[in-house]
Amino acid sequence: MLKRIICPVKWASFALFAAVLSTNTYAQQTDLTKYVDPLIGTAHSRWFFFTPGAAPFGMAKPGPSTNAHNGNAHGWDAVGYDYRDHSIEGFANFHEFQVGGVVFAPITGKLQTVPGKLTEPENGYRSEFDRKDEKATAGYYSVLLKEYNIKAELTATKRVAYHRYTFPASNESHILFDIGNKAGESGEVKDAKVYMTADGRIEGYVITRPVYVLKYQPGAQVEMYFSAVVDKKPTSYGTFHGEQTASGQKEASGKGAGLYLSFNTKAGESITIKAGLSYTSIANARLNLQTEATGLTFDAVKKKTYTEWNDYLHRIEVESPIKEDKVKFYTGLYHALAGRGLASDVNGAYPKNDGTVGHITLGKDGKPIHNHYNTDAIWGAFWNLTQLWAIAYPEYYSEYVKSQLLIYKDSGWLADGIANSKYVSGVGTNFVSLIIASAYNVGIRDFDIKTGYAAALKNETDDNNRPHGAGKMDVDRFVKYGYVNHLDSGKGSGELWQYSASHTLEYSFSSYAVAQMAKQLGKQADYKELMRLSKGWESIFDPKLKLMHPKTADGQFISNFKPSQAWRGFQEGNAIQYTYYVPHDPVGLISKIGKDSFNARLDSIFMLSQKQAFGGGTKIDAFSGLEGLYNQGNQPNLHISWLFNYSGKPSLTQKWVRTICNEFYGTEGVHGYGYGQDEDQGQLGAWYVISSMGLFDVKGLTDIKPTLGLGSPLFNKITIKLNKKYYTGNQFVIEAKNNSQANRYVKSFTLNNRKLHTPFITFADLVKGGKLTLNMSAQPTDKY
């Protein structure tokens, strides 16, 4: 039907051949992108979740939209691409937390300039499609738009989006540049402009006001710029605002602004768009385009991005006869590397918090010494992303810390979540200080230590003129009382007053983390005060109920207490779930509950929660499990299954972690990360990756000498390639002998021929390189 559609089998063979020819060590291995399925879990997924055209950590994240123009009323709603939908309205190039827009769409026939409704696809430029005509993998996406018989393909470099549209024979082929309309989480459009230059380049910008930007930094805005070249000259062109078109016009401005190009096409003729992107200026979008895309065809970039993804995926190689487990693993790893994308240009320009443009220092090679990134809140990421980064991607962890310190230097405060450096906290806490301390603990220290420590300390203890967007707006009460006193009413949004108990637990944890950094830096007074604060959890532990129980300023536990109630003292969870939120002192918590009671209670929680798919059952809603006993689909619970390692029952950690990996995680569009759960830029995927390897630090690498708890790997052999810039070892191998679904328990652990008597290894031992051997058995063992 379309002459230039590449046969999938031939393309796979070509790609594998190209990888073998590559001089890159990792790329010489097998094609791991064949195990990446970005469509998994896309029902009810977040705006930034489905960006198959992107390179790792890229700025350019082209992807299809099914419902993006509906916007995002609350700022976090699932919008963009939904597996249950059957029509596509266009292809947006920006996909980040609170950032989205610059939509391209190819059509034929009558010129239509509004996307139309899902229920009425014929009344807009959207088109129906079939799953059989859709392909998504790491760095590439294609789909046949049935309405127009157009094949759309997407790929990208770091900052340049590539679109290739293969048209049928038509005298009415069009490409729309829908710039001035809201897309996904971008919020309402404040201003926009699109124009065609004398040489045929399409350029412009869109300025939006996302919900969370308005909430956390009123008056701020998000700016997106692009400069695109099209490889075919149009026969005609024009602009539009909604349904109103203006033939022959080259420029449109304001909300709803768009531009169209019209072509005469032959059957199977392809038109390619290269779109340089930037958050600072059109000039820098042009520079990014020139630097990264000059002379590179769509196929060349597709091949290049394929190789780059393989390089990243091959940092961790797993061996198993169970294909489904490998698909879950590499799709999870893909999501961990696709989120939190570039926000700086090739010349180091980046958007500052105050709306101006900053410039990262250039090295001797004329390139920026590090990059800047957009990022959702780091809430809970110490139980997934940062552990994964520390083990296999320390260079990115380093860049993340340096990027966060730019915000601190520019605004005076760390910012948990940022959209173009604007505050978008989202949860009202701020764990960036913990992340900085953890990086220091594992030996990632090539950042400004003095500034990093000052920022971390300020984040834990200072409330003087603290902006809402820096989170922890009740830290003064935490410092005063040693816990956050409970309020049943207050002014402003909930995180300002509503989450006394969960904030107490979170602030205790992050205080402990920064205390360890203070100790290593010889800051004894700071260490003493931070350690006092780290014990705040003890203040709200109810010895009668053996649960966390919110407490008022006079030291009394609140009345009318319902342990399963969410949102009263606990953010996105309840007292039962949050009682286990003492990751920095699990032994202390177990002692207060009693070891036998702890084990019996937690084991029964998992038995009951298994019946609810370890969350909210099969209900498709990000918050469906908030009032349950356990909720794998949200951040506060992600360490709990690993606590048995501290309570003398490591076999229960082995049992339940494996079961969660097998049952909570799926390989379908609807059952992916639970059922429509809230996968925050790779966190749930990263949890699967490290947990399925049998490695996890409950403490989030906050100890001075971090350890990793050991579990039951799903894979027979795991090889981790270590970064020699940061670590002395070449690789760390985990081998599980006699491993099977039945043999899910570890009979013995041996590290470099030395028997281990506890289910822990030090992080230092891992990064020295070596081999961990596990003998597996069908029978549980708790003593080694």
Side-chain angles (χ1 to χ4, degrees):
M1 182 170 60
L2 297 177
K3 294 182 179 179
R4 297 185 64 178
I5 294 179
I6 299 172
C7 172
V9 174
K10 289 183 178 179
W11 162 247
S13 301
F14 171 75
L16 183 58
F17 178 68
V20 171
L21 287 181
S22 172
T23 57
N24 188 290
T25 302
Y26 304 151
Q28 291 178 15
Q29 309 303 312
T30 55
D31 174 17
L32 296 181
T33 65
K34 66 183 178 183
Y35 298 112
V36 175
D37 184 358
L39 287 162
I40 291 173
T42 49
H44 194 76
S45 64
R46 292 284 294 275
W47 166 245
F48 44 71
F49 182 75
F50 189 61
T51 60
F57 302 120
M59 176 190 294
K61 293 185 175 181
S65 299
T66 64
N67 58 14
H69 82 281
N70 292 339
N72 202 288
H74 301 98
W76 51 264
D77 309 81
V79 67
Y81 181 94
D82 194 312
Y83 189 83
R84 297 166 295 177
D85 296 337
H86 299 286
S87 64
I88 287 172
E89 62 185 31
F91 305 94
N93 291 290
F94 288 102
H95 284 86
E96 292 287 359
F97 180 51
Q98 303 296 293
V99 180
V102 181
V103 176
F104 302 162
I107 63 173
T108 59
K110 177 186 175 183
L111 181 64
Q112 298 188 83
T113 53
V114 295
K117 298 178 181 179
L118 276 166
T119 54
E120 302 173 359
E122 68 279 2
N123 293 329
Y125 61 69
R126 71 169 58 246
S127 171
E128 292 186 344
F129 71 100
D130 288 334
R131 291 276 167 225
K132 65 180 178 64
D133 297 321
E134 185 181 37
K135 178 181 179 181
T137 187
Y140 176 74
Y141 176 82
S142 69
V143 67
L144 180 67
L145 302 176
K146 291 173 61 179
E147 178 74 18
Y148 309 115
N149 196 23
I150 296 172
K151 181 181 181 181
E153 299 174 274
L154 308 173
T155 191
T157 66
K158 293 290 189 185
R159 299 172 179 86
V160 181
Y162 275 67
H163 298 237
R164 182 164 66 187
Y165 305 137
T166 303
F167 289 87
S170 175
N171 294 325
E172 294 181 298
S173 293
H174 315 284
I175 296 177
L176 308 177
F177 294 81
D178 192 350
I179 308 305
N181 289 305
K182 61 186 176 183
E185 291 183 2
S186 68
E188 294 297 329
V189 171
K190 179 181 178 182
D191 192 16
K193 185 175 183 178
V194 57
Y195 59 87
M196 183 167 63
T197 65
D199 60 357
R201 187 185 298 263
I202 310 300
E203 297 182 327
Y205 63 81
V206 58
I207 301 173
T208 64
R209 305 191 71 196
V211 173
Y212 275 19
V213 170
L214 296 180
K215 178 179 180 180
Y216 291 102
Q217 195 170 340
Q221 59 194 26
V222 166
E223 301 173 8
M224 293 161 274
Y225 301 88
F226 76 99
S227 177
V229 293
V230 183
D231 69 352
K232 180 179 174 70
K233 186 176 181 179
T235 56
S236 61
Y237 51 83
T239 60
F240 60 88
H241 284 84
E243 294 181 339
Q244 301 299 314
T245 62
S247 178
Q249 296 296 310
K250 290 188 175 182
E251 181 177 317
S253 298
K255 188 173 182 178
L259 184 146
Y260 67 88
L261 304 178
S262 299
F263 305 88
N264 294 329
T265 56
K266 300 175 182 177
E269 182 178 0
S270 294
I271 299 176
T272 298
I273 307 170
K274 302 179 186 180
L277 307 179
S278 173
Y279 293 117
T280 63
S281 69
I282 292 174
N284 280 331
R286 285 192 210 113
L287 179 63
N288 292 339
L289 176 64
Q290 178 184 355
T291 304
E292 295 188 356
T294 297
L296 292 179
T297 64
F298 184 98
D299 286 329
V301 169
K302 178 183 175 183
K303 175 182 173 183
K304 179 177 181 291
T305 303
Y306 156 88
T307 301
E308 186 176 7
W309 271 112
N310 252 318
D311 290 351
Y312 273 90
L313 297 174
H314 269 289
R315 296 278 184 98
I316 308 176
E317 299 174 357
V318 297
E319 299 177 19
S320 171
I322 305 173
K323 181 180 179 181
E324 184 179 67
D325 289 347
K326 296 176 79 171
V327 168
K328 291 180 186 179
F329 183 90
Y330 284 111
T331 301
L333 185 55
Y334 159 81
H335 280 298
L337 302 175
R340 303 168 196 269
L342 279 167
S344 55
D345 300 314
V346 293
N347 61 359
Y350 72 96
K352 294 178 67 172
N353 177 266
D354 64 2
T356 62
V357 175
H359 292 86
I360 299 167
T361 302
L362 303 182
K364 294 180 180 179
D365 59 358
K367 298 179 181 179
I369 58 175
H370 65 86
N371 292 306
H372 186 46
Y373 297 88
N374 277 312
T375 170
D376 194 356
I378 205 72
W379 199 51
F382 32 77
W383 290 322
N384 36 66
L385 285 174
T386 59
Q387 292 190 43
L388 178 60
W389 296 345
I391 291 169
Y393 308 94
E395 74 282 7
Y396 179 77
Y397 197 165
S398 172
E399 291 228 323
Y400 178 87
V401 171
K402 293 169 185 172
S403 177
Q404 292 293 316
L405 290 181
L406 280 182
I407 307 299
Y408 175 76
K409 292 173 182 176
D410 291 342
S411 70
W413 296 90
L414 293 173
D416 200 17
I418 53 173
N420 287 13
S421 301
K422 311 303 185 295
Y423 295 130
V424 286
S425 175
V427 290
T429 58
N430 190 331
F431 277 106
V432 178
S433 47
L434 183 152
I435 300 308
I436 292 171
S438 297
Y440 187 85
N441 292 338
V442 300
I444 299 172
R445 300 181 177 182
D446 55 346
F447 59 91
D448 183 342
I449 303 298
K450 183 178 179 180
T451 300
Y453 176 72
L457 179 65
K458 185 176 184 180
N459 191 46
E460 296 305 312
T461 60
D462 197 344
D463 72 303
N464 186 32
N465 295 319
R466 191 178 189 113
H468 188 188
K472 303 183 85 158
M473 294 299 288
D474 49 7
V475 73
D476 56 331
R477 291 152 54 198
F478 178 65
V479 173
K480 178 180 179 180
Y481 298 111
Y483 63 94
V484 178
N485 57 300
H486 183 77
L487 301 173
D488 267 324
S489 63
K491 295 181 179 180
S493 57
E495 68 266 18
L496 299 175
W497 56 269
Q498 191 173 350
Y499 309 126
S500 61
S502 58
H503 282 185
T504 294
L505 299 169
E506 291 168 332
Y507 300 173
S508 297
F509 182 28
S510 57
S511 292
Y512 175 85
V514 180
Q516 308 317 300
M517 188 176 183
K519 186 175 183 180
Q520 294 178 86
L521 295 174
K523 310 287 187 179
Q524 290 301 319
D526 294 344
Y527 172 74
K528 184 177 180 180
E529 171 64 2
L530 289 164
M531 286 302 293
R532 175 185 75 85
L533 296 174
S534 77
K535 299 182 184 301
W537 69 273
E538 296 179 350
S539 298
I540 64 167
F541 182 83
D542 187 332
K544 293 182 180 180
L545 298 177
K546 296 190 184 300
L547 292 171
M548 297 301 171
H549 192 160
K551 186 180 282 188
T552 56
D554 61 3
Q556 300 298 309
F557 290 118
I558 63 170
S559 57
N560 300 317
F561 177 54
K562 299 176 182 178
S564 64
Q565 182 180 1
W567 305 113
R568 188 184 181 213
F570 299 94
Q571 185 169 18
E572 298 188 25
N574 59 50
I576 298 169
Q577 295 173 5
Y578 266 102
T579 287
Y580 301 97
Y581 202 115
V582 191
H584 58 295
D585 190 9
V587 173
L589 175 66
I590 292 165
S591 177
K592 285 186 179 295
I593 295 175
K595 185 178 291 187
D596 291 341
S597 296
F598 179 92
N599 287 329
R601 184 206 288 183
L602 192 54
D603 190 31
S604 65
I605 282 175
F606 283 114
M607 285 189 283
L608 293 170
S609 298
Q610 186 177 15
K611 298 176 183 179
Q612 294 297 316
F614 297 105
T618 57
K619 181 180 180 182
I620 300 178
D621 189 302
F623 287 163
S624 61
L626 297 196
E627 295 198 343
L629 297 173
Y630 176 81
N631 187 16
Q632 176 69 22
N634 215 333
Q635 285 84 347
N637 275 190
L638 293 179
H639 67 300
I640 294 177
S641 56
W642 287 87
L643 288 173
F644 295 110
N645 275 355
Y646 293 90
S647 62
K649 285 287 185 179
S651 62
L652 290 178
T653 279
Q654 295 158 24
K655 171 186 175 180
W656 288 119
V657 170
R658 265 215 184 194
T659 305
I660 292 168
C661 286
N662 289 335
E663 298 180 14
F664 177 84
Y665 292 85
T667 57
E668 306 162 12
V670 176
H671 179 199
Y673 298 88
Y675 290 85
Q677 294 294 337
D678 194 7
E679 164 66 314
D680 288 328
Q681 287 196 320
Q683 289 200 42
L684 292 179
W687 188 95
Y688 182 93
V689 168
I690 58 176
S691 293
S692 67
M693 292 195 294
L695 299 172
F696 193 95
D697 183 18
V698 164
K699 299 185 180 184
L701 307 176
T702 59
D703 277 346
I704 290 176
K705 294 182 178 180
T707 60
L708 293 165
L710 301 178
S712 173
L714 269 66
F715 305 100
N716 299 338
K717 186 177 181 181
I718 302 157
T719 303
I720 302 168
K721 308 287 178 62
L722 299 170
N723 187 325
K724 293 289 287 182
K725 179 181 177 182
Y726 292 90
Y727 307 132
T728 58
N730 292 311
Q731 65 180 27
F732 187 80
V733 176
I734 302 169
E735 185 173 4
K737 295 184 175 180
N738 302 314
N739 195 21
S740 68
Q741 295 281 31
N743 293 346
R744 59 180 175 175
Y745 296 106
V746 182
K747 185 176 182 180
S748 66
F749 297 99
T750 303
L751 177 64
N752 297 330
N753 298 317
R754 174 173 57 88
K755 188 174 182 180
L756 300 179
H757 300 289
T758 61
F760 297 94
I761 62 169
T762 67
F763 187 88
D765 278 337
L766 187 151
V767 297
K768 286 177 185 174
K771 186 175 184 179
L772 175 69
T773 304
L774 299 81
N775 287 306
M776 308 301 292
S777 169
Q779 301 301 317
T781 300
D782 290 316
K783 293 185 179 180
Y784 302 105

